[in-house]
Amino acid sequence: MQFFSTQRSSPQVGFREAVINSLPADKGLYFPVAIPRFSYDKISALESAGLPELGFEIMRPYTQDVFSDTTLETIVQEAFNFEIPLVQVEAGIFSLELFHGPTYAFKDVGARFLARCLGEFAKSESRETTILVATSGDTGGAVANGFFNVEGVRVVILYPSGKVSDLQEKQLTTLGGNITALEVEGDFDDCQALVKQAFLDAELSKKLNLTSANSINIARWMPQSIYYASLALQMKNAAEALIAVPSGNYGNVTAGMLAKRMGFPLGKFLVCSNANDVVPRYLESCEYEVLPTVATYANAMDVSNPSNFPRMLELYDHSFDDLIQEVSGFTLHDKHILETIEQCHKETGYVLDPHGAIAYAGLKKKLKIDQKGVFLETAHPIKFRPVMEKALRDKMPMPGFAKDLMLKQKSSIKMSNEYADFKNLLKRTS
């Protein structure tokens, strides 16, 4: 399988090169030259498959030129060793719970697959691989956990100071070893811009073997299609359901669109945003206008210029008319996030996290009569404890994993959002 740049000015590359390079030189994103289509019979045969088996079948067409079946089987068995249950919240509305992995967030799926891919590649590398990753919340913890003590790999995580939850910060700043956390003055978009600029810096690339663990990397982006395939197999008539996805950098929902293109029966998508609503506004007007990033209770979605938007356009052949036939948008602001969490808990007993709350509210507003809806619960609610307690008007007990984590000592390096400072730091610590 070859991968082309969405800007179409860079050469096509294979899976290994696309993963290691992360970004093409022309500032586009890698995208598969062909999306494999699964037959009805093949999908039916996967109905009783576990997540590892499903992951093997979905990722094999993209990786078979690089990994043997035995290697890929080992990767998926190690990466996808947890459940992704579909839980009924109320009549006609279901939650696909993506927080049952080791860092209690959906990022575990892509981060663990990518970590094992790069671990395999590192075995034949003569120099250390440096992974740069920007995080607005859960990505950092998932990447840190996935790559911790992977031989031949060091990880540098950039996160916006004061704009991630305490628990999220502990997950990405307490491991040490081959994990370095940079606390950046600014917002997520500043962190993301630093990472992108580093990849396009010829001097730095010559000195360091750089790659990314953000969803711009195909080995983090594409595996997320696996849980959408799982949804299609778990839910009868999923092709008629409305699928509401909390969306920040848009890797998650575009992976769902990829699964649908591969043949899995999935309904239309509702992209659900907080105040940083560039894509919902685009779906209404066909105008892509980037505004300053707004800090919200759903901090993992505080992204004003999502990196994966070009993949969304690519999946619909850059046809706005085709896109809006399949995809609609929804926006929810902080006040209504709190109200939604409180109301859902009061009426159903289900505890939404702030991101899932936006998607749940979207379903409540957009679902047609007798239509089923699914929203993605992307992280454990305890990660957002202050917000949750404000919404529920009560103390939220800390589960054991969170208590243990909060006792650990934070270790981070504070830095400005100036690229020169970032570059010098990378050169000094290499």
Side-chain angles (χ1 to χ4, degrees):
M1 176 71 75
Q2 293 289 104
F3 297 83
F4 68 90
S5 169
T6 54
Q7 290 283 24
R8 290 172 168 77
S9 299
S10 289
Q12 293 183 7
V13 299
F15 181 79
R16 179 190 177 111
E17 189 175 349
V19 173
I20 291 175
N21 289 350
S22 194
L23 279 175
D26 63 7
K27 303 183 183 180
L29 296 175
Y30 285 119
F31 196 90
V33 296
I35 296 175
R37 182 83 180 177
F38 285 19
S39 68
Y40 174 82
D41 288 343
K42 183 163 187 174
I43 291 172
S44 296
L46 291 169
E47 282 186 1
S48 60
L51 212 61
E53 184 182 350
L54 197 54
F56 176 85
E57 295 295 338
I58 288 175
M59 296 308 300
R60 187 171 183 267
Y62 301 111
T63 63
Q64 59 187 353
D65 296 340
V66 177
F67 296 137
S68 68
D69 284 357
T70 301
T71 298
L72 182 59
E73 283 174 355
T74 300
I75 288 172
V76 296
Q77 288 290 340
E78 291 179 356
F80 310 134
N81 59 352
F82 50 91
E83 298 297 317
I84 296 181
L86 183 66
V87 177
Q88 184 164 357
V89 175
E90 61 184 80
I93 294 184
F94 298 79
S95 169
L96 188 68
E97 293 187 341
L98 305 175
F99 55 78
H100 295 275
T103 69
Y104 304 91
F106 81 100
K107 306 293 179 73
D108 283 324
V109 173
R112 290 169 68 78
F113 183 84
L114 172 60
R116 281 144 187 82
C117 288
L118 286 172
E120 284 294 320
F121 297 154
K123 293 176 182 177
S124 57
E125 287 286 334
S126 59
R127 57 180 180 156
E128 182 181 62
T129 296
T130 298
I131 295 171
L132 304 180
V133 58
T135 184
S136 58
D138 288 320
T139 293
V143 170
N145 180 276
F147 282 94
F148 183 54
N149 283 340
V150 172
E151 191 173 343
V153 176
R154 76 158 176 154
V155 180
V156 179
I157 301 170
L158 294 80
Y159 72 98
S161 181
K163 294 182 173 66
V164 302
S165 75
D166 290 345
L167 195 62
Q168 288 171 326
E169 187 174 43
K170 289 285 188 176
Q171 285 187 315
L172 59 94
T173 62
T174 57
L175 288 173
N178 63 328
I179 311 296
T180 300
L182 302 183
E183 188 175 348
V184 178
E185 296 174 6
D187 56 31
F188 170 75
D189 291 294
D190 293 319
C191 298
Q192 188 162 250
L194 290 173
V195 169
K196 287 182 176 180
Q197 193 168 349
F199 286 124
L200 300 172
D201 187 320
E203 179 193 356
L204 202 58
S205 295
K206 187 176 181 180
K207 181 178 176 63
L208 303 175
N209 189 22
L210 295 177
T211 190
S212 172
N214 280 99
S215 55
I216 54 176
N217 193 305
I218 57 166
R220 243 213 63 202
W221 171 58
M222 292 193 301
Q224 295 174 120
S225 62
I226 295 164
Y227 48 75
Y228 288 93
S230 174
L231 166 62
L233 297 174
Q234 289 186 67
M235 185 181 204
K236 289 184 179 180
N237 301 320
E240 306 300 321
L242 182 61
I243 304 167
V245 186
S247 299
N249 221 11
Y250 283 77
N252 194 342
V253 70
T254 50
M257 296 167 184
L258 180 67
K260 187 171 182 176
R261 284 282 300 275
M262 292 182 74
F264 288 91
L266 295 163
K268 295 182 179 181
F269 294 94
L270 180 63
V271 295
C272 298
S273 168
N274 58 22
N276 302 286
D277 61 347
V278 61
V279 175
R281 284 186 285 110
Y282 170 80
L283 293 169
E284 289 289 333
S285 66
C286 195
E287 293 182 6
Y288 190 82
E289 181 188 11
V290 177
L291 301 175
T293 305
V294 177
T296 76
Y297 292 144
N299 68 292
M301 292 152 55
D302 291 351
V303 183
S304 59
N305 190 13
S307 288
N308 284 289
F309 181 68
R311 286 186 171 131
M312 180 181 289
L313 298 181
E314 200 67 51
L315 283 155
Y316 290 92
D317 299 318
H318 293 262
S319 168
F320 180 75
D321 289 340
D322 289 348
L323 176 62
I324 61 175
Q325 289 300 311
E326 293 285 328
V327 185
S328 57
F330 174 77
T331 302
L332 197 70
H333 292 266
D334 274 2
K335 175 184 175 183
H336 299 296
I337 291 173
L338 298 178
E339 291 173 355
T340 300
I341 293 170
E342 180 184 30
Q343 184 176 359
C344 179
H345 183 254
K346 188 179 295 183
E347 294 178 356
T348 71
Y350 193 83
V351 181
L352 300 162
D353 92 285
H355 307 78
I358 297 176
Y360 173 82
L363 288 181
K364 296 290 280 187
K365 183 175 179 64
K366 300 283 189 175
L367 273 182
K368 298 175 183 176
I369 296 174
D370 295 329
Q371 184 184 21
K372 289 182 179 179
V374 180
F375 68 95
L376 275 60
E377 255 298 335
T378 52
H380 195 292
I382 197 62
K383 288 193 165 190
F384 316 99
R385 191 182 187 191
V387 178
M388 299 303 301
E389 292 182 345
K390 189 172 185 178
L392 298 173
R393 306 170 195 265
D394 198 4
K395 293 290 184 183
M396 193 173 189
M398 291 273 278
F401 81 88
K403 287 180 181 177
D404 294 342
L405 191 58
M406 293 305 293
L407 292 174
K408 294 184 178 181
Q409 185 68 37
K410 166 188 166 182
S411 176
S412 67
I413 300 172
K414 292 191 174 184
M415 60 169 283
S416 75
N417 59 9
E418 295 294 327
Y419 179 69
D421 294 342
F422 178 48
K423 181 176 179 177
N424 288 335
L425 188 148
L426 288 178
K427 290 167 69 176
R428 287 198 313 270
T429 57
S430 63

